[in-house]
Amino acid sequence: MTKDEFYEKIGKIQRAKGYYFSNDKEKVMELIEALLVNKERYGYMVCPCRLAQEERDKDKDIICPCVYREPDVEEYGSCFCNLYVSKELNESKIEHKFVPERRPVDMMF
Amino acid sequence: MPANNIMIYSLSTCTNCKLSMELLDKQNVKYEFLDVDLLEKEERKPHLKKIKELNPKCSFPTIKIGESVVVGFREEQIKEALERL
């Protein structure tokens, strides 16, 4: 799947679930490219902004869309790496939304 | 520790890490960075220990600027930390 196909197809599916790609198109395309790189490297789409342990079972909570997306978008209007955002955040003037890491640190080791 | 005391622990796929580096570039400051995901698993351990000391969540980017530590791409905090250098 190419970046543009991902943007169109996945975007449509996720919009139906209430999750929108950020309006920052350049950032979104970079993140999508990174997801495709991780798919190539690990065989699954690990979040571009988290360190994979390269074992699917240990990384399953951070396979995009990660399990933290829902509470993060709920609380901050954005997922950890700013790929998915709420409609409200896209409509606001906020350019960059910092989202603290919700994932328990011991899941990294 | 690099000469000018700025070190970014990053991932090669992380856009917020890239944005943090671009911000430092714009500020014309020299820094070192380490893409931890490009290290072999065994090589990562000492670095992850260090990152966890600086940032208990061990998330990326973790940016050490002198004595300050900025977690995440936060422009204001990065600029403030640079002023304290």
Side-chain angles (χ1 to χ4, degrees):
Chain A
M1 182 187 286
T2 67
K3 286 189 292 191
D4 295 325
E5 284 166 353
F6 186 106
Y7 186 82
E8 292 310 325
K9 286 182 187 157
I10 306 296
K12 199 171 163 204
I13 293 166
Q14 295 301 331
R15 265 194 308 281
K17 295 180 180 176
Y19 295 100
Y20 300 79
F21 286 142
S22 160
N23 283 341
D24 184 337
K25 182 79 182 279
E26 189 188 345
K27 187 170 192 175
V28 165
M29 295 314 279
E30 272 179 26
L31 287 164
I32 291 172
E33 190 168 351
L35 283 171
L36 297 173
V37 163
N38 281 349
K39 168 87 170 163
E40 205 59 43
R41 289 199 308 193
Y42 309 124
Y44 47 91
M45 289 194 191
V46 181
C47 172
C49 298
R50 292 184 170 107
L51 183 62
Q53 290 188 65
E54 303 175 26
E55 291 167 43
R56 191 181 188 110
D57 195 49
K58 289 183 177 172
D59 291 332
K60 62 177 182 287
D61 62 314
I62 54 169
I63 295 175
C64 185
C66 68
V67 302
Y68 310 102
R69 177 179 72 168
E70 186 176 351
D72 282 342
V73 172
E74 181 76 38
E75 186 171 352
Y76 301 100
S78 172
C79 75
F80 179 64
C81 56
N82 307 130
L83 175 63
Y84 290 105
V85 298
S86 63
K87 208 167 187 211
E88 294 72 27
L89 193 77
N90 260 347
E91 285 161 1
S92 77
K93 297 268 174 306
I94 298 169
E95 266 184 37
H96 170 70
K97 185 74 180 190
F98 167 70
V99 178
E101 175 60 283
R102 187 181 292 272
R103 187 185 201 210
V105 67
D106 46 31
M107 295 190 78
M108 277 187 69
F109 297 93
Chain B
M1 224 4 187
N4 58 5
N5 271 354
I6 300 178
M7 177 73 192
I8 298 186
Y9 294 98
S10 53
L11 303 171
S12 62
T13 52
C14 169
T15 303
N16 285 323
C17 299
K18 198 172 142 261
L19 290 169
S20 302
M21 293 185 209
E22 283 170 9
L23 175 62
L24 291 174
D25 293 335
K26 269 189 230 143
Q27 306 289 316
N28 293 312
V29 292
K30 290 212 174 7
Y31 57 90
E32 285 187 30
F33 71 93
L34 178 64
D35 281 338
V36 178
D37 60 315
L38 299 184
L39 299 176
E40 290 304 321
K41 281 183 103 170
E42 279 321 306
E43 281 180 281
R44 296 177 187 176
K45 286 191 173 138
H47 299 287
L48 289 176
K49 189 169 174 289
K50 174 69 183 171
I51 296 167
K52 208 173 166 205
E53 284 161 17
L54 299 170
N55 167 18
K57 292 295 268 184
C58 207
S59 57
F60 297 91
T62 291
I63 312 164
K64 186 157 185 6
I65 302 174
E67 291 318 307
S68 313
V69 177
V70 180
V71 173
F73 170 53
R74 292 197 271 190
E75 196 155 338
E76 287 323 311
Q77 287 200 18
I78 292 169
K79 286 179 177 169
E80 283 159 15
L82 289 174
E83 277 155 25
R84 288 194 294 268
L85 257 184

